[in-house]
Structure formats: C-alpha cells, structure tokens
C-alpha cells in the first residue's frame, strides 16, 4: 500500500473515530429531541453495531499495516484499549442499557481510537528509511 493511501486511511480513521466520540457524547443530550428532529436512525442499535465494526476493521488494518513499517507500539497501545471500551459498551448489557455510563465509555473509546490514528500519522510521518527499516 502506498504511503499516500496509508495517510489517507489514518486521516479517515481519525476523523471517523472522533466523530463517533462526539456522537457518543451528544447521545444523552439529544435523546429527548430525536422524534422532533427526525434523527432517530442515527441512534438505532444497528447503526452503533455497524460503526463499531467498521472502526474496528479500519483501525486494525490501518495501524497493523503501519506497525510493520515503523515498529512502534504507541498507536496500538491507544487503539486496543479504545476498541476494548467500544466493544464493552456495546456488548455488556448493564453498561449498554445505562444511558450516561454508555455514553461515557463509548466517548472514551472513540477518543482513544481517534488518538491512535493521529499517533499513527505522526509515527508514519517521522519514519526514516535506514538499515533498521523492516521493509
């Protein structure tokens, strides 16, 4: 994969993850206004499942490819706890059914995933091809 495509994937992943975090933070505030605004589809459970699955696939593929290049664990160290928080908020019923704790854990997870993509961008940008290069 070309360097331009890797940067594009990380930018896309960071933007999507941070938008997801904003979505999760605003959910409790917008619940009462959903019917009037016609936005209830964005807060449907199936959309949440699709977003978490997409963020997982994008994050693991993007950071996995980049790890082979820069060999630094910092981005993965942010990604994996972030994905863990997202999946916990989705799959653990007591947490999923409580509005505010669910919003907090999903916002935390989405923020970590977004920061992982930004860290990965920085690691890829600062990469120098030399004798220690793995590719």
């Amino acid at each position: 994969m070309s360097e331009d495509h890797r940067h594009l994937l990380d930018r896309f992943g960071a933007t999507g993850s941070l938008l997801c975090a904003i979505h999760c933070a605003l959910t409790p505030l917008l619940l009462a206004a959903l019917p009037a605004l016609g936005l209830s589809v964005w807060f449907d459970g199936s959309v949440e499942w699709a977003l978490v699955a997409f963020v997982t696939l994008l994050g693991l593929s993007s950071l996995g490819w980049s790890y082979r290049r820069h060999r630094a664990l910092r981005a993965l160290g942010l990604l994996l706890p972030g994905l863990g928080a997202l999946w916990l908020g989705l799959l653990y019923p007591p947490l999923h059914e409580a509005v505010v704790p669910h919003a907090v854990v999903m916002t935390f997870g989405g923020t970590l995933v977004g920061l992982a993509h930004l860290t990965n961008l920085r690691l890829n940008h600062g990469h120098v091809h030399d004798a220690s290069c793995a590719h």
Side-chain angles (χ1 to χ4, degrees):
M1 178 179 284
S2 74
E3 187 172 333
D4 289 337
H5 286 112
R6 279 193 290 267
H7 288 300
L8 184 62
L9 275 178
D10 278 323
R11 284 186 177 94
F12 182 67
T15 302
S17 298
L18 294 175
L19 287 174
C20 176
I22 292 168
H23 158 86
C24 294
L26 293 179
T27 298
L29 302 174
L30 295 176
L31 283 176
L34 289 180
L37 297 174
L39 297 175
S40 58
V41 70
W42 284 100
F43 298 93
D44 184 10
S46 61
V47 171
E48 188 173 43
W49 272 93
L51 286 173
V52 172
F54 179 72
V55 163
T56 300
L57 291 173
L58 180 66
L60 289 175
S61 62
S62 176
L63 274 70
W65 284 324
S66 293
Y67 173 76
R68 290 186 296 180
R69 180 171 187 227
H70 55 65
R71 299 284 188 210
L73 290 173
R74 284 176 284 182
L76 288 171
L78 291 168
L79 177 73
L80 296 178
L83 291 177
L86 291 175
W87 284 104
L88 182 69
L90 195 61
L91 297 174
Y92 185 60
L95 186 57
H96 185 70
E97 295 163 3
V99 175
V100 174
H102 178 75
V104 168
V105 76
M106 296 301 276
T107 301
F108 175 72
T111 301
L112 283 179
V113 171
L115 290 173
H117 282 287
L118 293 174
T119 301
N120 197 47
L121 272 171
R122 182 170 283 274
L123 288 169
N124 281 327
H125 182 68
H127 179 74
V128 176
H129 295 279
D130 61 10
S132 66
C133 230
H135 60 97

